[in-house]
């Protein structure tokens, strides 16, 4: 531990005075944003008209954030650090905004909010005000990559930002309320995946102010020895800074930050000297300060500072309560604004010279506006990895297994800007070819028999979808690229994280200085229709429904029917910008329908008529068989084959959908089809039997405005499943080929009576297929070995 002399020497008296002045200025600006509508410098006594009618915002965490920001600025200047800040307590938005204004970045981004009295008034007015800015550290705030509106993800974002940024220090404030969440608790072990020879550093700062909205926080109440053991057990060397005397805390925090940064520099120097790279014990800081520090100690005789009552707005009803108005004025004047701002309202010279300059400012660091530093990936020609398809349906090959070698070579060609993320499922999802050129990132112990573990690995595997998502988001937000591969059913775990990222993408589209990011790409396999080792718990295609709820300009959903189409789709996704791309593809051996050239064309169209599988011969069809997803495509083609053989006079049009959003009108989604084009393909009045990968009602939702919607009949997953054979699974949900034929017979006018025999055969075929599985434990070979042939073959049932 630092001695008393070390702490005293950390700051000269002049440095202490200037640092404290900066902190007071940030606190003043924070309170002003929460309360003031006018009179920003208190030139006159406060009146009710100077107060906002709605008092919104959070004071409790803000003085701690201001303290940390001021001290980080000091070390950035002293050491010429390349640093950024992630703040978990997102409700401390006014504190971070205050610092960006003091640094000048806010005024550079928003020219009408200058660093003068008029600009200060606008700064105050805009906060949590109609037409202004949110209360969180939102995308509007320069230097932010993490809004913090939903707690739990700060540390994973910080580590994602540090990967492959060797000179970057990411300071991360973890609120003690946030520390109670599962994702944050798991994030402490992110240091197992951080390579000090190649990556940057993360400096976690656990801010213990003791309270959440109404309750004490767990980590503030457990014995300090337990807390220190918890941090040490997670691989950190914790240093405690505690107190409520500003001068004492300033000196202690300065000394502790210096020590932590010295240790980080030593760790990195040792790792980069050419020796063995081992997992170090990284420094972290535990900061204990009162909640709502420097605010009102009591209000109406009730203690506020240091309690949960300081969490949001300590003084309420200020417009209507003269005592509260007077207390607010005393509070604001306690920061001595006349010493901090000059006659024009600008920060005095010594405050203007304290922060870093230019890109060294945390609010102006280019990596926090990732699109500025983003560079295109070097992508191999995916056509060279495709499957040779001499005839539709040949050969059998798993789509993700074909994709794997291409992903392998993407990793090899982009050794500092691309990573593959997954919750222990990369090999399971048939992307194991990646391990031919890289390993799994791993800084913990290894033993003989471990598979592809090394500090230099570029595959990020940890059994936490939250961590994978958070790491990838931090990686993308700071200007890199990646893919998240997961089992389809369990990607739901990050539903709310996707919400936050989608909102970030939506908002930043309207912020001129925010540059587009690489897209967030999901590759979902082990999907609902192929769960040979698992059962009902692993069967849920509803992530697509969740994604489609987001803004249309942000989300894209692709369901390629085979390997070549998957290659074309993933190439498109990795080239795209500022989207969330969801790609669902199977890993089990399956028929391949399109050549590489055909797959490219089909992917560009998004949906199209497969002429080789249709029998309408450019005439108006009697029925449209539509499909979306690999297994629905297989079943639909098998149904088309049955109809071709048994009802050769029936005119069938087969339509395959790759890009799900093509089903919406172009007025609803940028990829949507105009109504006339939709009617040309799906007809304005003929029955459409649609076999869909997910929940059927989503197709109805996407097409409800189409003129032929009443003739649209969708088959999909209807929450029936178990551990069973592939064909039994589709039968449980009435998506099988026999049921699709029955649907055609039932829906095409006039067909029912003359096709009654065929309908009965289909009912019997379904029962026979089920009986076979129950007797032999596998699918009937007549079903499992079915293959498409261009002409009717009576020997191919």
């Amino acid at each position: 531990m630092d001695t008393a002399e070390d702490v005293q020497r950390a700051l000269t008296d002049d440095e202490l005075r200037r640092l404290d002045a900066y902190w007071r200025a940030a606190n003043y600006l924070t309170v002003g944003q929460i309360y003031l509508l006018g009179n920003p410098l208190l030139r006159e006594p406060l009146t009710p008209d100077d107060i906002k009618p709605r008092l919104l915002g959070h004071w409790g965490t803000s003085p701690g954030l201001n303290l940390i920001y001021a001290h980080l600025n000091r070390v950035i200047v002293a050491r010429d650090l390349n640093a950024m800040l992630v703040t978990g307590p997102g409700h401390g938005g006014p504190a971070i905004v205050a610092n960006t204004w003091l640094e000048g970045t806010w005024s550079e981004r928003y020219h009408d909010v200058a660093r003068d009295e008029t600009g200060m008034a606008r700064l105050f007015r805009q906060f949590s005000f109609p037409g202004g800015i949110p209360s969180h550290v939102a995308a509007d705030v320069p230097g932010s990559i993490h809004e913090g509106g939903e707690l739990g993800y700060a540390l994973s974002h910080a580590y994602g930002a540090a990967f492959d940024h060797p000179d970057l220090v990411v300071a991360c404030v973890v609120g003690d309320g946030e520390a109670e969440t599962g994702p944050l608790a798991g994030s402490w072990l992110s240091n197992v995946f951080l390579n000090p020879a190649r990556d940057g550093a993360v400096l976690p700062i656990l801010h213990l102010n003791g309270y959440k909205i109404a309750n004490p926080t767990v980590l503030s109440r457990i014995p300090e020895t337990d807390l220190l053991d918890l941090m040490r057990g997670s691989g950190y060397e914790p240093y405690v800074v505690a107190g409520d005397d500003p001068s004492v805390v300033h000196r202690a925090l300065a000394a502790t930050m210096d020590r932590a940064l010295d240790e980080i520099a030593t760790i990195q120097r040792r790792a980069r000297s050419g020796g063995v790279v081992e997992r170090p014990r990284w420094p972290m800081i535990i900061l204990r300060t009162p909640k709502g520090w420097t605010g009102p100690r009591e209000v109406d005789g009730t203690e506020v500072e240091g309690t949960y009552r300081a969490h949001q707005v300590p003084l309420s009803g200020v417009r209507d309560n003269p005592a509260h108005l007077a207390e607010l004025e005393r509070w604001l004047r306690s920061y001595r604004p006349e010493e901090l701002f000059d006659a024009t309202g600008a920060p005095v010279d010594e405050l203007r010279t304290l922060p870093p300059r230019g890109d060294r400012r945390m609010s102006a660091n280019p990596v926090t506006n990732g699109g500025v530093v983003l560079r295109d990936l070097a992508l191999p020609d995916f056509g060279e990895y495709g499957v040779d398809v001499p005839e539709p349906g040949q050969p059998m090959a798993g789509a993700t297994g074909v994709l794997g070698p291409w992903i392998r070579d993407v990793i090899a060609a982009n050794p500092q800007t691309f990573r593959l993320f997954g919750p222990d499922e990369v090999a399971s999802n048939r992307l194991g070819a990646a391990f031919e050129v890289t390993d799994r990132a791993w800084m913990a112990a290894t033993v003989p028999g471990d598979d592809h573990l090394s500090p230099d690995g570029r595959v990020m595997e940890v059994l936490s979808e939250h961590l994978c998502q958070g790491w990838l988001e931090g990686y993308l937000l700071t200007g890199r690229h990646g893919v998240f591969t997961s089992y389809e059913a369990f990607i739901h775990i990050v539903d709310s994280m996707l919400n936050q990222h989608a909102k970030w993408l939506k908002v930043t589209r309207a912020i001129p200085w925010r540059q587009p990011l690489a897209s967030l790409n999901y590759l979902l396999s082990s999907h609902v229709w192929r769960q040979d080792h698992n059962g009902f718990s692993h069967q849920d295609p509803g992530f697509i429904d969740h994604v489609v709820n987001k803004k249309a300009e942000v989300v894209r959903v692709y369901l390629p029917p085979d390997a070549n189409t998957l290659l074309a789709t993933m190439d498109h996704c990795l080239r795209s910008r500022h989207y969330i791309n969801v790609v669902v593809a199977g890993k089990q051996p399956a028929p391949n329908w399109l050549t590489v050239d055909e797959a490219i064309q089909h992917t560009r169209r998004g949906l199209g008529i497969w002429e080789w599988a249709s029998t309408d011969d450019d005439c108006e069809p009697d029925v449209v068989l539509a499909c979306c997803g690999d297994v629905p495509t297989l079943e639909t083609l098998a149904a088309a084959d049955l109809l071709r053989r048994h009802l050769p006079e029936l005119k069938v049009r087969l339509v395959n959908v790759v890009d799900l959003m093509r089903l919406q009108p172009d007025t609803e989604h940028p990829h949507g089809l105009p109504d006339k084009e939709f009617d040309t393909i799906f007809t304005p009045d003929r029955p459409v039997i649609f076999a869909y990968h997910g929940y059927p009602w989503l197709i109805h939702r996407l097409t409800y405005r189409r003129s032929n919607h009443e003739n649209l009949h969708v088959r999909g997953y209807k929450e029936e499943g178990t551990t069973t054979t592939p064909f039994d699974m589709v039968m449980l949900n009435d998506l099988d080929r026999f049921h699709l034929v029955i649907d055609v017979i039932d829906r095409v006018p006039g067909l029912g009576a003359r096709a009654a025999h065929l309908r009965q055969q289909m009912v019997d075929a379904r029962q026979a297929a089920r009986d076979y599985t129950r007797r032999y434990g596998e699918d009937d070979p007549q079903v499992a070995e079915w293959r498409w042939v261009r002409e009717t073959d009576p020997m191919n049932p």
Side-chain angles (χ1 to χ4, degrees):
M1 296 298 291
D2 294 310
T3 66
E5 291 78 11
D6 293 332
V7 171
Q8 189 66 26
R9 285 196 302 266
L11 293 174
T12 67
D13 290 344
D14 185 59
E15 287 173 332
L16 173 61
R17 181 186 57 79
R18 293 174 62 219
L19 200 58
D20 188 69
Y22 187 94
W23 182 48
R24 285 188 286 117
N27 285 338
Y28 179 85
L29 295 170
T30 300
V31 180
Q33 289 177 76
I34 295 173
Y35 282 97
L36 296 186
L37 196 59
N39 195 9
L41 286 169
L42 306 182
R43 306 281 193 194
E44 305 289 340
L46 282 181
T47 69
D49 290 340
D50 295 327
I51 308 302
K52 291 181 176 181
R54 300 168 69 242
L55 299 179
L56 305 172
H58 291 69
W59 164 247
T61 190
S62 292
L65 294 179
N66 286 330
L67 180 77
I68 292 166
Y69 206 106
H71 279 262
L72 286 170
N73 275 346
R74 180 190 73 85
V75 295
I76 290 169
V77 172
R79 298 165 179 262
D80 191 30
L81 282 184
N82 178 20
M84 59 176 286
L85 176 64
V86 174
T87 55
H91 280 299
I96 306 303
V97 170
N99 283 279
T100 65
W101 188 82
L102 282 172
E103 293 182 322
T105 317
W106 192 275
S107 299
E108 293 168 12
R109 297 286 185 262
Y110 306 101
H111 299 305
D112 61 327
V113 188
R115 282 197 294 178
D116 57 23
E117 184 171 6
T118 301
M120 188 188 297
R122 289 174 176 162
L123 185 82
F124 290 176
R125 183 184 185 90
Q126 70 182 8
F127 177 76
S128 289
F129 200 80
I133 64 171
S135 65
H136 294 120
V137 189
D140 311 72
V141 180
S144 171
I145 68 164
H146 173 87
E147 177 167 296
E150 182 176 2
L151 300 178
Y153 315 123
L155 203 51
S156 62
H157 282 161
Y159 274 96
F163 294 141
D164 293 321
H165 271 148
D167 66 336
L168 183 66
V169 174
V170 187
C172 179
V173 184
V174 177
D176 49 354
E178 179 181 32
E180 297 175 7
T181 66
L184 197 286
S187 294
W188 292 114
L189 290 174
S190 294
N191 59 44
V192 171
F193 305 87
L194 189 79
N195 182 349
R198 180 189 63 191
D199 301 325
V202 175
L203 177 60
I205 303 170
L206 175 59
H207 186 205
L208 298 179
N209 60 32
Y211 292 91
K212 305 185 285 286
I213 293 176
N215 288 288
T217 55
V218 172
L219 295 188
S220 71
R221 294 293 181 90
I222 64 175
E224 188 167 282
T225 54
D226 289 356
L227 178 60
L228 296 176
D229 287 345
L230 178 65
M231 293 298 106
R232 290 191 180 107
S234 297
Y236 298 94
E237 186 59 48
Y239 297 107
V240 179
V241 177
D244 59 3
D245 181 328
S247 64
V248 173
V249 173
H250 278 308
R251 291 188 185 278
L253 184 56
T256 302
M257 275 200 177
D258 282 338
R259 179 167 184 171
L261 291 167
D262 286 344
E263 290 186 7
I264 287 172
T266 299
I267 289 169
Q268 292 179 334
R269 186 166 53 250
R270 186 183 304 122
R272 297 170 188 182
S273 63
V276 176
V277 178
E278 296 178 331
R279 182 189 178 201
R281 184 172 294 278
W282 294 95
M284 62 89 60
I285 297 172
I286 298 171
L287 176 64
R288 287 186 186 267
T289 59
K291 196 173 187 75
W293 195 17
T294 74
R297 295 198 174 188
E298 291 185 356
V299 176
D300 299 332
T302 301
E303 187 177 9
V304 173
E305 185 186 69
T307 76
Y308 67 89
R309 298 179 186 89
H311 183 78
Q312 292 177 308
V313 180
L315 292 163
S316 60
V318 178
R319 275 192 164 194
D320 304 319
N321 188 323
H324 285 195
L325 181 64
E327 179 60 30
L328 173 61
E329 184 163 349
R330 283 192 295 272
W331 178 12
L332 284 164
R333 291 194 185 279
S334 73
Y335 298 117
R336 306 193 298 278
E338 66 280 1
E339 300 176 6
L340 307 173
F341 306 100
D342 65 21
T344 71
V348 297
D349 286 343
E350 71 173 4
L351 295 188
R352 295 167 72 100
T353 57
L354 189 143
R357 301 295 182 90
D359 289 351
R360 281 295 190 243
R361 294 171 295 177
M362 291 186 290
S363 56
N365 193 319
V367 299
T368 64
N369 186 6
V372 171
V373 298
L374 181 66
R375 298 294 179 265
D376 292 343
L377 288 171
L379 294 178
D381 179 1
F382 67 86
E384 297 179 2
Y385 301 77
V387 176
D388 182 23
V389 180
E391 294 288 339
Q394 302 176 25
M396 298 287 285
T400 56
V402 173
L403 179 70
W406 185 75
I407 291 288
R408 172 200 64 202
D409 293 347
V410 172
I411 293 172
N414 302 275
Q416 296 176 322
T417 56
F418 178 87
R419 293 200 184 203
L420 179 61
F421 300 78
D424 195 33
E425 293 160 1
V426 168
S428 176
N429 282 336
R430 306 296 192 268
L431 300 177
F435 300 122
E436 297 171 16
V437 296
T438 190
D439 298 311
R440 298 172 174 90
W442 187 256
M443 293 294 300
T446 58
V447 299
D450 283 340
D451 183 41
H452 288 287
L453 301 178
S454 80
D456 291 322
R458 304 200 60 74
V459 175
M460 311 300 295
E461 282 200 305
V462 61
L463 198 54
S464 166
E465 287 82 358
H466 287 124
L467 274 187
C468 291
Q469 175 86 15
W471 289 344
L472 176 55
E473 287 180 358
Y475 201 63
L476 298 176
L477 287 159
T478 51
R480 281 75 61 77
H481 307 255
V483 170
F484 183 178
T485 182
S486 177
Y487 285 9
E488 182 185 43
F490 300 128
I491 197 63
H492 270 301
I493 293 170
V494 300
D495 277 0
S496 59
M497 295 184 76
L498 175 136
N499 288 347
Q500 300 299 313
H501 193 73
K503 292 175 187 297
W504 184 278
L505 295 180
K506 185 263 185 186
V507 169
T508 52
R509 281 180 171 269
I511 299 176
W513 54 269
R514 286 280 186 184
Q515 297 301 306
L517 303 168
S519 297
L520 172 54
N521 300 303
Y522 293 97
L523 175 59
L524 307 183
S525 194
S526 300
H527 61 54
V528 62
W529 301 110
R530 292 291 184 263
Q531 289 296 332
D532 294 342
H533 291 280
N534 303 297
F536 196 38
S537 62
H538 285 57
Q539 295 162 359
D540 188 335
F543 188 68
I544 295 172
D545 301 63
H546 178 65
V547 170
V548 170
N549 288 333
K550 305 302 118 186
K551 293 295 289 188
E553 63 264 30
V554 169
V555 297
R556 306 287 186 265
V557 179
Y558 302 99
L559 294 103
D562 66 359
N564 289 336
T565 316
L566 175 60
L567 282 165
T569 299
M570 290 305 298
D571 180 83
H572 166 76
C573 290
L574 287 185
R575 295 180 189 276
S576 69
R577 294 290 182 271
H578 226 67
Y579 297 139
I580 293 173
N581 295 313
V582 178
V583 182
V584 184
K587 68 182 185 182
Q588 303 295 354
N592 285 274
W593 310 106
L594 304 178
T595 66
V596 168
D597 288 342
E598 291 168 341
I600 292 171
Q601 188 177 39
H602 187 50
T603 303
R604 288 172 177 168
R605 290 184 185 132
L607 61 78
I609 300 169
W610 282 3
E611 296 178 358
W612 52 267
S614 303
T615 58
D616 55 338
D617 297 324
D618 292 328
C619 300
E620 191 169 26
D622 297 312
V623 65
V624 175
L625 294 183
C627 49
C628 182
D630 51 7
V631 169
T633 297
L634 169 62
E635 292 305 310
T636 300
L637 282 162
D641 183 41
L642 288 167
L643 291 169
R644 182 180 61 176
R645 289 189 289 112
H646 292 283
L647 295 172
E649 73 283 4
L650 189 70
K651 294 181 174 61
V652 177
R653 176 178 296 174
L654 195 142
V655 177
N656 182 263
V657 179
V658 180
D659 180 349
L660 189 66
M661 311 320 294
R662 294 289 274 167
L663 296 177
Q664 282 195 298
D666 55 347
T667 55
E668 298 295 317
H669 195 281
H671 285 196
L673 281 180
D675 285 334
K676 287 185 178 179
E677 188 173 348
F678 187 91
D679 287 347
T680 298
I681 294 172
F682 289 95
T683 78
D685 56 4
R686 298 304 168 103
V688 179
I689 310 302
F690 200 124
Y692 171 54
H693 173 87
Y695 291 105
W697 42 85
L698 179 59
I699 301 301
H700 288 292
R701 173 183 158 192
L702 296 176
T703 60
Y704 79 98
R705 293 186 178 182
R706 301 299 193 177
S707 58
N708 197 30
H709 181 254
E710 64 179 15
N711 285 321
L712 178 65
H713 310 284
V714 186
R715 293 290 175 187
Y717 183 67
K718 57 182 188 178
E719 210 65 24
E720 294 291 341
T722 184
T723 302
T724 189
T725 66
F727 192 69
D728 193 51
M729 181 65 190
V730 293
M731 283 199 298
L732 285 171
N733 291 275
D734 296 333
L735 186 66
D736 60 279
R737 60 198 68 179
F738 304 127
H739 208 293
L740 294 177
V741 171
I742 291 170
D743 280 341
V744 170
I745 295 170
D746 291 346
R747 302 296 182 182
V748 173
L751 189 57
R754 60 190 177 93
H757 296 282
L758 177 60
R759 191 184 194 285
Q760 181 170 292
Q761 291 175 30
M762 297 298 99
V763 172
D764 293 344
R766 277 172 55 84
Q767 187 60 55
R770 176 150 297 158
D771 291 343
Y772 192 97
T773 64
R774 299 306 186 268
R775 182 173 182 180
Y776 297 105
E778 61 183 356
D779 284 326
D780 187 337
Q782 293 189 76
V783 171
E785 298 174 10
W786 172 86
R787 300 291 181 268
W788 176 269
V789 291
R790 287 190 181 274
E791 301 296 333
T792 302
D793 181 356
M795 300 303 293
N796 187 27

mmCIF file of all heavy atoms in Angstrom, residues 48 51 299-300 315-328:
data_model
loop_
_atom_site.group_PDB
_atom_site.id
_atom_site.type_symbol
_atom_site.label_atom_id
_atom_site.label_comp_id
_atom_site.label_asym_id
_atom_site.label_seq_id
_atom_site.Cartn_x
_atom_site.Cartn_y
_atom_site.Cartn_z
ATOM 1 N N PRO A 48 -38.527 31.140 -8.952
ATOM 2 C CA PRO A 48 -39.189 29.937 -9.490
ATOM 3 C C PRO A 48 -39.109 29.834 -11.006
ATOM 4 O O PRO A 48 -39.045 28.728 -11.551
ATOM 5 C CB PRO A 48 -40.636 30.084 -9.003
ATOM 6 C CG PRO A 48 -40.507 30.856 -7.727
ATOM 7 C CD PRO A 48 -39.389 31.835 -7.985
ATOM 8 N N ILE A 51 -36.322 27.740 -12.626
ATOM 9 C CA ILE A 51 -36.295 26.299 -12.351
ATOM 10 C C ILE A 51 -37.105 25.541 -13.402
ATOM 11 O O ILE A 51 -38.189 25.972 -13.802
ATOM 12 C CB ILE A 51 -36.859 26.007 -10.939
ATOM 13 C CG1 ILE A 51 -36.160 26.872 -9.892
ATOM 14 C CG2 ILE A 51 -36.717 24.518 -10.616
ATOM 15 C CD1 ILE A 51 -34.654 26.700 -9.839
ATOM 16 N N VAL A 299 -32.577 17.462 4.032
ATOM 17 C CA VAL A 299 -33.697 18.163 3.406
ATOM 18 C C VAL A 299 -34.919 17.930 4.283
ATOM 19 O O VAL A 299 -35.283 16.773 4.552
ATOM 20 C CB VAL A 299 -33.957 17.672 1.969
ATOM 21 C CG1 VAL A 299 -35.199 18.352 1.399
ATOM 22 C CG2 VAL A 299 -32.744 17.939 1.070
ATOM 23 N N ASP A 300 -35.506 19.008 4.742
ATOM 24 C CA ASP A 300 -36.680 18.924 5.623
ATOM 25 C C ASP A 300 -36.400 18.041 6.838
ATOM 26 O O ASP A 300 -37.247 17.258 7.286
ATOM 27 C CB ASP A 300 -37.894 18.394 4.859
ATOM 28 C CG ASP A 300 -38.294 19.295 3.701
ATOM 29 O OD1 ASP A 300 -38.029 20.514 3.777
ATOM 30 O OD2 ASP A 300 -38.854 18.768 2.720
ATOM 31 N N LEU A 315 -33.663 17.671 -4.043
ATOM 32 C CA LEU A 315 -34.628 18.725 -3.690
ATOM 33 C C LEU A 315 -35.752 18.702 -4.710
ATOM 34 O O LEU A 315 -35.527 18.947 -5.892
ATOM 35 C CB LEU A 315 -33.954 20.108 -3.708
ATOM 36 C CG LEU A 315 -32.908 20.359 -2.620
ATOM 37 C CD1 LEU A 315 -32.050 21.558 -3.000
ATOM 38 C CD2 LEU A 315 -33.594 20.596 -1.281
ATOM 39 N N SER A 316 -36.936 18.417 -4.268
ATOM 40 C CA SER A 316 -38.078 18.369 -5.184
ATOM 41 C C SER A 316 -38.991 19.564 -4.934
ATOM 42 O O SER A 316 -38.869 20.269 -3.924
ATOM 43 C CB SER A 316 -38.848 17.058 -4.980
ATOM 44 O OG SER A 316 -39.320 16.970 -3.644
ATOM 45 N N GLY A 317 -39.898 19.787 -5.873
ATOM 46 C CA GLY A 317 -40.870 20.870 -5.703
ATOM 47 C C GLY A 317 -40.237 22.234 -5.516
ATOM 48 O O GLY A 317 -40.771 23.079 -4.778
ATOM 49 N N VAL A 318 -39.105 22.474 -6.153
ATOM 50 C CA VAL A 318 -38.349 23.703 -5.910
ATOM 51 C C VAL A 318 -39.130 24.932 -6.356
ATOM 52 O O VAL A 318 -39.054 25.994 -5.726
ATOM 53 C CB VAL A 318 -36.981 23.622 -6.611
ATOM 54 C CG1 VAL A 318 -36.193 24.914 -6.416
ATOM 55 C CG2 VAL A 318 -36.190 22.432 -6.082
ATOM 56 N N ARG A 319 -39.891 24.812 -7.414
ATOM 57 C CA ARG A 319 -40.674 25.965 -7.898
ATOM 58 C C ARG A 319 -41.714 26.413 -6.876
ATOM 59 O O ARG A 319 -42.023 27.603 -6.791
ATOM 60 C CB ARG A 319 -41.382 25.608 -9.212
ATOM 61 C CG ARG A 319 -40.530 25.783 -10.456
ATOM 62 C CD ARG A 319 -41.411 25.695 -11.692
ATOM 63 N NE ARG A 319 -40.733 26.225 -12.868
ATOM 64 C CZ ARG A 319 -41.342 26.522 -14.003
ATOM 65 N NH1 ARG A 319 -42.662 26.356 -14.104
ATOM 66 N NH2 ARG A 319 -40.666 26.988 -15.024
ATOM 67 N N ASP A 320 -42.243 25.464 -6.136
ATOM 68 C CA ASP A 320 -43.361 25.761 -5.242
ATOM 69 C C ASP A 320 -42.958 25.831 -3.776
ATOM 70 O O ASP A 320 -43.785 26.177 -2.927
ATOM 71 C CB ASP A 320 -44.453 24.680 -5.405
ATOM 72 C CG ASP A 320 -44.909 24.545 -6.849
ATOM 73 O OD1 ASP A 320 -45.063 25.584 -7.514
ATOM 74 O OD2 ASP A 320 -45.079 23.399 -7.307
ATOM 75 N N ASN A 321 -41.727 25.503 -3.477
ATOM 76 C CA ASN A 321 -41.282 25.446 -2.077
ATOM 77 C C ASN A 321 -40.141 26.435 -1.876
ATOM 78 O O ASN A 321 -39.002 26.169 -2.264
ATOM 79 C CB ASN A 321 -40.826 24.025 -1.735
ATOM 80 C CG ASN A 321 -40.528 23.843 -0.262
ATOM 81 O OD1 ASN A 321 -40.002 24.740 0.391
ATOM 82 N ND2 ASN A 321 -40.846 22.660 0.263
ATOM 83 N N PRO A 322 -40.414 27.604 -1.277
ATOM 84 C CA PRO A 322 -39.355 28.617 -1.112
ATOM 85 C C PRO A 322 -38.152 28.096 -0.335
ATOM 86 O O PRO A 322 -37.011 28.478 -0.630
ATOM 87 C CB PRO A 322 -40.081 29.741 -0.355
ATOM 88 C CG PRO A 322 -41.523 29.550 -0.672
ATOM 89 C CD PRO A 322 -41.720 28.073 -0.800
ATOM 90 N N ALA A 323 -38.366 27.226 0.636
ATOM 91 C CA ALA A 323 -37.234 26.700 1.404
ATOM 92 C C ALA A 323 -36.336 25.835 0.522
ATOM 93 O O ALA A 323 -35.100 25.900 0.618
ATOM 94 C CB ALA A 323 -37.748 25.893 2.595
ATOM 95 N N HIS A 324 -36.947 25.033 -0.330
ATOM 96 C CA HIS A 324 -36.157 24.214 -1.238
ATOM 97 C C HIS A 324 -35.437 25.077 -2.271
ATOM 98 O O HIS A 324 -34.300 24.777 -2.663
ATOM 99 C CB HIS A 324 -37.049 23.188 -1.934
ATOM 100 C CG HIS A 324 -37.456 22.043 -1.059
ATOM 101 N ND1 HIS A 324 -37.994 20.878 -1.547
ATOM 102 C CD2 HIS A 324 -37.407 21.895 0.296
ATOM 103 C CE1 HIS A 324 -38.261 20.054 -0.550
ATOM 104 N NE2 HIS A 324 -37.918 20.657 0.588
ATOM 105 N N LEU A 325 -36.085 26.135 -2.733
ATOM 106 C CA LEU A 325 -35.447 27.045 -3.678
ATOM 107 C C LEU A 325 -34.214 27.684 -3.045
ATOM 108 O O LEU A 325 -33.150 27.774 -3.668
ATOM 109 C CB LEU A 325 -36.437 28.123 -4.134
ATOM 110 C CG LEU A 325 -35.910 29.135 -5.156
ATOM 111 C CD1 LEU A 325 -35.564 28.434 -6.467
ATOM 112 C CD2 LEU A 325 -36.949 30.239 -5.402
ATOM 113 N N ALA A 326 -34.356 28.121 -1.798
ATOM 114 C CA ALA A 326 -33.223 28.740 -1.098
ATOM 115 C C ALA A 326 -32.105 27.721 -0.882
ATOM 116 O O ALA A 326 -30.912 28.042 -1.011
ATOM 117 C CB ALA A 326 -33.687 29.311 0.235
ATOM 118 N N GLU A 327 -32.479 26.474 -0.566
ATOM 119 C CA GLU A 327 -31.462 25.438 -0.359
ATOM 120 C C GLU A 327 -30.726 25.125 -1.659
ATOM 121 O O GLU A 327 -29.514 24.900 -1.668
ATOM 122 C CB GLU A 327 -32.116 24.174 0.194
ATOM 123 C CG GLU A 327 -31.170 23.009 0.421
ATOM 124 C CD GLU A 327 -30.066 23.331 1.416
ATOM 125 O OE1 GLU A 327 -30.282 24.159 2.331
ATOM 126 O OE2 GLU A 327 -28.962 22.759 1.255
ATOM 127 N N LEU A 328 -31.461 25.130 -2.776
ATOM 128 C CA LEU A 328 -30.815 24.896 -4.069
ATOM 129 C C LEU A 328 -29.798 25.995 -4.361
ATOM 130 O O LEU A 328 -28.679 25.712 -4.827
ATOM 131 C CB LEU A 328 -31.867 24.832 -5.186
ATOM 132 C CG LEU A 328 -31.314 24.754 -6.614
ATOM 133 C CD1 LEU A 328 -30.469 23.491 -6.809
ATOM 134 C CD2 LEU A 328 -32.450 24.805 -7.642
#
